[in-house]
């Protein structure tokens, strides 16, 4: 495995696999394991139905029983546009191929729109866990806005057999307060009905770009977004991999402490990601990082790097869509399997 990784990543492999965190001690973290649900949620307020659905998520697919997650998310038909998302591979205009890709690649679950799941719920709800995405930022309004709006209800998601619901909050955006209240209420209802909850914790604000750097993916801002997400009782947090830090000080808002940057993180990507994990109750709420846009030939390398960073930081897995579905089905399956192999490889350990 390491030989193949070395061929793919070159000198970067040692940079990632040889790193040891001197920031937040790994002993402080709740790490993914086969008993993760019992260890974390058994004494929580989550009811028996939520525990069963969480175990269903963790028990499905190639990573079943490991405590790690590989989720296929396809909501770009709304979040971007169906044409821009599916033009590279038009078969995915048909949502059945989305579900087939998730099943055939051994994913733990498929996360997609209410309509995509509803049109196929009786055929597939018992074959792979559904994560019903409740809200979206539709980009047909001009000028575009950073605004997530509800496209369906929690009760509707339960009716189509979803094991979990997903939602996005654009923390920092003008409409974020409303989104927080809406999603908080939705997650409360989802837990009542026995579904797990996953929050896309993204930061959005034009003011977060300073001096040519976009701090929407800064470790300190995304870490705080994660902390708000676990506060509204998300069971799993989805977040972009951090690319920089010091967003609070660069933008000049909020509150920060020098130790956030000098002691709790460094410039190494694993340390930046560990700060995100720490803000998820030290890993008690799992962090899954997103796979990001497809860049073509470099997708496999970027996907493997992201998986190694997430795993060694203490994260719970990847939620990867465009890199997989914007290429032929067989290639998408192979890419997802290679990412899953990182989490199955016992030689890749916590940093």
């Amino acid at each position: 495995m390491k030989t193949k990784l070395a061929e793919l990543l070159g000198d970067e492999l040692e940079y990632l696999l040889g790193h040891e965190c001197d920031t937040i001690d790994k002993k402080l973290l709740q790490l993914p394991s086969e008993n993760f649900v019992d260890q974390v949620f058994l004494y929580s307020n989550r009811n028996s139905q939520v525990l069963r659905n969480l175990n269903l998520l963790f028990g499905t697919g190639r990573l079943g029983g490991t405590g790690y997650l590989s989720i296929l998310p396809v909501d770009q038909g709304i979040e971007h546009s169906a044409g821009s998302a599916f033009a590279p591979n038009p078969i995915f205009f048909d949502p059945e191929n989305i579900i087939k890709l998730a099943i055939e690649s051994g994913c733990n679950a498929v996360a997609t729109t209410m309509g995509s799941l509803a049109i196929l719920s009786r055929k597939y709800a018992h074959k792979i866990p559904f994560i019903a995405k409740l809200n979206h930022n539709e980009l047909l309004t001009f000028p575009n806005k950073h605004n997530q709006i509800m496209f369906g209800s929690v009760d509707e998601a339960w009716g189509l057999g979803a094991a979990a619901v997903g939602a996005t909050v654009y923390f920092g955006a003008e409409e974020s307060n409303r989104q927080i209240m809406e999603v908080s209420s939705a997650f409360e209802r989802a837990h009542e009905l026995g579904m797990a909850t996953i929050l896309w914790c993204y930061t959005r604000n034009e003011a977060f770009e300073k001096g040519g750097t976009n701090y929407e993916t800064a470790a300190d801002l995304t870490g705080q977004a994660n902390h708000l997400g676990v506060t509204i009782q998300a069971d799993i947090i989805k977040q972009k991999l951090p690319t920089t830090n010091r967003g609070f000080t660069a933008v000049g808002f909020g509150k920060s402490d020098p130790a956030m940057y000098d002691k709790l993180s460094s410039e190494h990507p694993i340390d930046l990601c560990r700060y995100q994990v720490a803000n998820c109750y030290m890993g008690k709420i799992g962090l899954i990082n997103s796979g990001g846009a497809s860049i073509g030939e470099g997708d496999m390398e970027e996907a493997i790097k992201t998986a190694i960073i997430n795993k060694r930081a203490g994260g719970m897995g990847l939620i990867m869509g465009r890199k997989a579905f914007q290429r032929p089905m067989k290639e998408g399956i192979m890419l997802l399997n290679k990412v899953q192999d990182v989490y199955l490889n016992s030689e890749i350990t916590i940093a």
Side-chain angles (χ1 to χ4, degrees), residues 19-26 262-266 268 270-271 274 351:
H19 178 71
E20 292 297 331
C21 286
D22 294 323
T23 54
I24 297 170
D25 195 318
K26 61 186 177 183
D262 301 333
K263 295 181 180 180
L264 301 184
S265 62
S266 75
H268 197 285
I270 292 174
D271 292 345
R274 177 156 299 180

PDB file of all heavy atoms in Angstrom, residues 19-26 262-266 268 270-271 274 351:
ATOM      1  N   HIS A  19       4.426  12.934   9.951  1.00  0.00           N
ATOM      2  CA  HIS A  19       4.115  14.036  10.869  1.00  0.00           C
ATOM      3  C   HIS A  19       3.544  13.526  12.187  1.00  0.00           C
ATOM      4  O   HIS A  19       2.723  12.613  12.216  1.00  0.00           O
ATOM      5  CB  HIS A  19       3.114  14.980  10.213  1.00  0.00           C
ATOM      6  CG  HIS A  19       2.703  16.129  11.101  1.00  0.00           C
ATOM      7  ND1 HIS A  19       3.562  17.164  11.405  1.00  0.00           N
ATOM      8  CD2 HIS A  19       1.538  16.395  11.770  1.00  0.00           C
ATOM      9  CE1 HIS A  19       2.949  18.020  12.202  1.00  0.00           C
ATOM     10  NE2 HIS A  19       1.726  17.577  12.429  1.00  0.00           N
ATOM     11  N   GLU A  20       3.967  14.135  13.278  1.00  0.00           N
ATOM     12  CA  GLU A  20       3.387  13.885  14.599  1.00  0.00           C
ATOM     13  C   GLU A  20       2.894  15.207  15.164  1.00  0.00           C
ATOM     14  O   GLU A  20       3.620  16.206  15.147  1.00  0.00           O
ATOM     15  CB  GLU A  20       4.412  13.255  15.547  1.00  0.00           C
ATOM     16  CG  GLU A  20       4.819  11.841  15.166  1.00  0.00           C
ATOM     17  CD  GLU A  20       3.668  10.853  15.202  1.00  0.00           C
ATOM     18  OE1 GLU A  20       2.732  11.061  16.005  1.00  0.00           O
ATOM     19  OE2 GLU A  20       3.699   9.881  14.420  1.00  0.00           O
ATOM     20  N   CYS A  21       1.680  15.214  15.663  1.00  0.00           N
ATOM     21  CA  CYS A  21       1.086  16.451  16.180  1.00  0.00           C
ATOM     22  C   CYS A  21       1.693  16.827  17.528  1.00  0.00           C
ATOM     23  O   CYS A  21       1.666  16.020  18.472  1.00  0.00           O
ATOM     24  CB  CYS A  21      -0.431  16.293  16.336  1.00  0.00           C
ATOM     25  SG  CYS A  21      -1.322  16.322  14.777  1.00  0.00           S
ATOM     26  N   ASP A  22       2.208  18.036  17.621  1.00  0.00           N
ATOM     27  CA  ASP A  22       2.665  18.584  18.894  1.00  0.00           C
ATOM     28  C   ASP A  22       1.704  19.663  19.387  1.00  0.00           C
ATOM     29  O   ASP A  22       2.047  20.451  20.267  1.00  0.00           O
ATOM     30  CB  ASP A  22       4.069  19.195  18.726  1.00  0.00           C
ATOM     31  CG  ASP A  22       5.114  18.138  18.421  1.00  0.00           C
ATOM     32  OD1 ASP A  22       5.012  17.033  18.985  1.00  0.00           O
ATOM     33  OD2 ASP A  22       6.005  18.412  17.600  1.00  0.00           O
ATOM     34  N   THR A  23       0.551  19.686  18.808  1.00  0.00           N
ATOM     35  CA  THR A  23      -0.440  20.723  19.149  1.00  0.00           C
ATOM     36  C   THR A  23      -1.457  20.156  20.131  1.00  0.00           C
ATOM     37  O   THR A  23      -1.286  20.287  21.338  1.00  0.00           O
ATOM     38  CB  THR A  23      -1.130  21.227  17.873  1.00  0.00           C
ATOM     39  OG1 THR A  23      -1.680  20.108  17.144  1.00  0.00           O
ATOM     40  CG2 THR A  23      -0.133  21.936  16.974  1.00  0.00           C
ATOM     41  N   ILE A  24      -2.486  19.513  19.647  1.00  0.00           N
ATOM     42  CA  ILE A  24      -3.504  18.899  20.505  1.00  0.00           C
ATOM     43  C   ILE A  24      -3.217  17.403  20.580  1.00  0.00           C
ATOM     44  O   ILE A  24      -3.226  16.699  19.575  1.00  0.00           O
ATOM     45  CB  ILE A  24      -4.920  19.155  19.938  1.00  0.00           C
ATOM     46  CG1 ILE A  24      -5.200  20.665  19.941  1.00  0.00           C
ATOM     47  CG2 ILE A  24      -5.973  18.415  20.752  1.00  0.00           C
ATOM     48  CD1 ILE A  24      -6.447  21.061  19.183  1.00  0.00           C
ATOM     49  N   ASP A  25      -2.944  16.916  21.778  1.00  0.00           N
ATOM     50  CA  ASP A  25      -2.522  15.528  21.990  1.00  0.00           C
ATOM     51  C   ASP A  25      -3.598  14.561  21.520  1.00  0.00           C
ATOM     52  O   ASP A  25      -4.778  14.708  21.841  1.00  0.00           O
ATOM     53  CB  ASP A  25      -2.231  15.308  23.482  1.00  0.00           C
ATOM     54  CG  ASP A  25      -1.444  14.030  23.736  1.00  0.00           C
ATOM     55  OD1 ASP A  25      -1.751  13.001  23.106  1.00  0.00           O
ATOM     56  OD2 ASP A  25      -0.526  14.059  24.579  1.00  0.00           O
ATOM     57  N   LYS A  26      -3.193  13.532  20.780  1.00  0.00           N
ATOM     58  CA  LYS A  26      -4.132  12.536  20.288  1.00  0.00           C
ATOM     59  C   LYS A  26      -4.845  11.797  21.421  1.00  0.00           C
ATOM     60  O   LYS A  26      -5.957  11.278  21.222  1.00  0.00           O
ATOM     61  CB  LYS A  26      -3.419  11.530  19.391  1.00  0.00           C
ATOM     62  CG  LYS A  26      -2.311  10.739  20.082  1.00  0.00           C
ATOM     63  CD  LYS A  26      -1.553   9.871  19.083  1.00  0.00           C
ATOM     64  CE  LYS A  26      -0.401   9.135  19.736  1.00  0.00           C
ATOM     65  NZ  LYS A  26       0.379   8.347  18.743  1.00  0.00           N
ATOM     66  N   ASP A 262      -0.589  29.505  18.017  1.00  0.00           N
ATOM     67  CA  ASP A 262       0.779  29.166  18.408  1.00  0.00           C
ATOM     68  C   ASP A 262       0.896  27.800  19.078  1.00  0.00           C
ATOM     69  O   ASP A 262       1.939  27.149  18.980  1.00  0.00           O
ATOM     70  CB  ASP A 262       1.341  30.233  19.353  1.00  0.00           C
ATOM     71  CG  ASP A 262       1.362  31.612  18.723  1.00  0.00           C
ATOM     72  OD1 ASP A 262       1.439  31.681  17.484  1.00  0.00           O
ATOM     73  OD2 ASP A 262       1.281  32.614  19.471  1.00  0.00           O
ATOM     74  N   LYS A 263      -0.159  27.371  19.790  1.00  0.00           N
ATOM     75  CA  LYS A 263      -0.100  26.119  20.544  1.00  0.00           C
ATOM     76  C   LYS A 263      -1.077  25.058  20.042  1.00  0.00           C
ATOM     77  O   LYS A 263      -0.772  23.866  20.084  1.00  0.00           O
ATOM     78  CB  LYS A 263      -0.363  26.392  22.032  1.00  0.00           C
ATOM     79  CG  LYS A 263       0.702  27.246  22.699  1.00  0.00           C
ATOM     80  CD  LYS A 263       0.389  27.445  24.175  1.00  0.00           C
ATOM     81  CE  LYS A 263       1.459  28.299  24.856  1.00  0.00           C
ATOM     82  NZ  LYS A 263       1.164  28.509  26.308  1.00  0.00           N
ATOM     83  N   LEU A 264      -2.255  25.480  19.614  1.00  0.00           N
ATOM     84  CA  LEU A 264      -3.292  24.520  19.236  1.00  0.00           C
ATOM     85  C   LEU A 264      -3.282  24.180  17.751  1.00  0.00           C
ATOM     86  O   LEU A 264      -4.061  23.330  17.306  1.00  0.00           O
ATOM     87  CB  LEU A 264      -4.676  25.047  19.632  1.00  0.00           C
ATOM     88  CG  LEU A 264      -4.874  25.335  21.130  1.00  0.00           C
ATOM     89  CD1 LEU A 264      -6.318  25.763  21.397  1.00  0.00           C
ATOM     90  CD2 LEU A 264      -4.517  24.113  21.971  1.00  0.00           C
ATOM     91  N   SER A 265      -2.439  24.835  16.988  1.00  0.00           N
ATOM     92  CA  SER A 265      -2.355  24.536  15.557  1.00  0.00           C
ATOM     93  C   SER A 265      -0.995  24.957  15.031  1.00  0.00           C
ATOM     94  O   SER A 265      -0.226  25.622  15.727  1.00  0.00           O
ATOM     95  CB  SER A 265      -3.479  25.234  14.779  1.00  0.00           C
ATOM     96  OG  SER A 265      -3.371  26.637  14.892  1.00  0.00           O
ATOM     97  N   SER A 266      -0.712  24.564  13.810  1.00  0.00           N
ATOM     98  CA  SER A 266       0.511  24.977  13.129  1.00  0.00           C
ATOM     99  C   SER A 266       0.152  25.131  11.648  1.00  0.00           C
ATOM    100  O   SER A 266      -1.015  25.072  11.271  1.00  0.00           O
ATOM    101  CB  SER A 266       1.616  23.926  13.312  1.00  0.00           C
ATOM    102  OG  SER A 266       1.375  22.794  12.493  1.00  0.00           O
ATOM    103  N   HIS A 268       0.978  22.954   9.420  1.00  0.00           N
ATOM    104  CA  HIS A 268       0.842  21.630   8.808  1.00  0.00           C
ATOM    105  C   HIS A 268      -0.636  21.293   8.620  1.00  0.00           C
ATOM    106  O   HIS A 268      -1.457  21.528   9.518  1.00  0.00           O
ATOM    107  CB  HIS A 268       1.499  20.564   9.688  1.00  0.00           C
ATOM    108  CG  HIS A 268       1.766  19.285   8.962  1.00  0.00           C
ATOM    109  ND1 HIS A 268       0.767  18.386   8.653  1.00  0.00           N
ATOM    110  CD2 HIS A 268       2.915  18.749   8.457  1.00  0.00           C
ATOM    111  CE1 HIS A 268       1.281  17.351   8.013  1.00  0.00           C
ATOM    112  NE2 HIS A 268       2.586  17.559   7.881  1.00  0.00           N
ATOM    113  N   ILE A 270      -2.337  18.586   8.753  1.00  0.00           N
ATOM    114  CA  ILE A 270      -2.909  17.666   9.742  1.00  0.00           C
ATOM    115  C   ILE A 270      -3.222  18.411  11.037  1.00  0.00           C
ATOM    116  O   ILE A 270      -4.265  18.182  11.663  1.00  0.00           O
ATOM    117  CB  ILE A 270      -1.960  16.480   9.989  1.00  0.00           C
ATOM    118  CG1 ILE A 270      -1.885  15.610   8.731  1.00  0.00           C
ATOM    119  CG2 ILE A 270      -2.412  15.651  11.191  1.00  0.00           C
ATOM    120  CD1 ILE A 270      -0.879  14.488   8.801  1.00  0.00           C
ATOM    121  N   ASP A 271      -2.347  19.320  11.446  1.00  0.00           N
ATOM    122  CA  ASP A 271      -2.611  20.114  12.651  1.00  0.00           C
ATOM    123  C   ASP A 271      -3.798  21.052  12.455  1.00  0.00           C
ATOM    124  O   ASP A 271      -4.599  21.262  13.379  1.00  0.00           O
ATOM    125  CB  ASP A 271      -1.374  20.930  13.026  1.00  0.00           C
ATOM    126  CG  ASP A 271      -0.217  20.065  13.503  1.00  0.00           C
ATOM    127  OD1 ASP A 271      -0.467  18.879  13.819  1.00  0.00           O
ATOM    128  OD2 ASP A 271       0.916  20.564  13.550  1.00  0.00           O
ATOM    129  N   ARG A 274      -6.804  18.910  12.735  1.00  0.00           N
ATOM    130  CA  ARG A 274      -7.036  18.488  14.119  1.00  0.00           C
ATOM    131  C   ARG A 274      -7.730  19.591  14.915  1.00  0.00           C
ATOM    132  O   ARG A 274      -8.540  19.303  15.798  1.00  0.00           O
ATOM    133  CB  ARG A 274      -5.723  18.092  14.803  1.00  0.00           C
ATOM    134  CG  ARG A 274      -5.940  17.727  16.274  1.00  0.00           C
ATOM    135  CD  ARG A 274      -4.888  16.825  16.830  1.00  0.00           C
ATOM    136  NE  ARG A 274      -4.843  15.561  16.133  1.00  0.00           N
ATOM    137  CZ  ARG A 274      -3.989  14.581  16.447  1.00  0.00           C
ATOM    138  NH1 ARG A 274      -3.128  14.733  17.434  1.00  0.00           N
ATOM    139  NH2 ARG A 274      -4.004  13.449  15.766  1.00  0.00           N
ATOM    140  N   ALA A 351      -1.997  10.861  14.080  1.00  0.00           N
ATOM    141  CA  ALA A 351      -0.730  11.564  14.239  1.00  0.00           C
ATOM    142  C   ALA A 351      -0.533  12.024  15.683  1.00  0.00           C
ATOM    143  O   ALA A 351      -1.478  12.430  16.338  1.00  0.00           O
ATOM    144  CB  ALA A 351      -0.694  12.782  13.320  1.00  0.00           C
TER     145      ALA A 351
END
